Amino acid sequence: FNQIIAGKTLQYEGQLYEDDDAEDTHSESGNGGLNLPMRHEPFSATLQPCGQFIMPILCEPIVREGFYRIELKLGCRDVRCTEWAMPTTTPLEIFLRVEDYSE
C-alpha cells in the first residue's frame, strides 16, 4: 500500500496588460502533511505496479485575469500513514494565462 500525495500552490504572477489595475501578488494553497504552507487535504493517487500514477488536481475557479503559476509538491504515504516528501529533478510547475473573453 503506497499512495502518492501532492500539495499545490496557486500563485498570481502578474497582470495581462500594462493598463490593468491588478495586484502584484496573490496566492492560494491546498495541502496535507507535507510540511507545506497549504490549507486543504493533499490530493492522492494509488501507485500502480508499473510505477506510474494518475492524479486529478482540483483548484478553485480563477475569477481574475492574469498570469498564474501552479506549483506541485509530491510526497508518499505508506501503510502506517507516514508521509514524506519525494525529491524531483525539476520543479513541477504549470503556468496559466487567464483572460476574460466575455466582452
Side-chain angles (χ1 to χ4, degrees):
F1 171 81
N2 279 331
Q3 278 189 323
I4 300 297
I5 56 177
K8 71 163 174 57
T9 301
L10 173 64
Q11 180 74 38
Y12 175 77
E13 293 294 316
Q15 54 194 1
L16 293 178
Y17 306 105
E18 295 283 330
D19 58 337
D20 280 348
D21 294 330
E23 297 174 16
D24 287 338
T25 59
H26 171 74
S27 67
E28 169 190 316
S29 303
N31 177 46
L34 290 177
N35 296 326
L36 304 171
M38 301 180 183
R39 303 184 301 225
H40 307 290
E41 287 298 315
F43 303 99
S44 65
T46 302
L47 188 61
Q48 298 175 8
C50 63
Q52 298 178 343
F53 62 93
I54 298 172
M55 179 185 306
I57 303 291
L58 307 173
C59 75
E60 298 294 320
I62 300 172
V63 296
R64 189 172 71 186
E65 286 187 335
F67 293 103
Y68 292 84
R69 178 173 51 98
I70 298 174
E71 182 180 9
L72 298 173
K73 299 285 187 185
L74 292 180
C76 192
R77 179 184 296 141
D78 65 14
V79 69
R80 298 169 297 178
C81 293
T82 303
E83 296 178 356
W84 63 93
M86 289 185 353
T88 56
T89 57
T90 59
L92 302 175
E93 298 177 323
I94 301 167
F95 292 92
L96 303 174
R97 175 188 172 115
V98 177
E99 190 163 353
D100 183 7
Y101 290 109
S102 65
E103 297 176 3

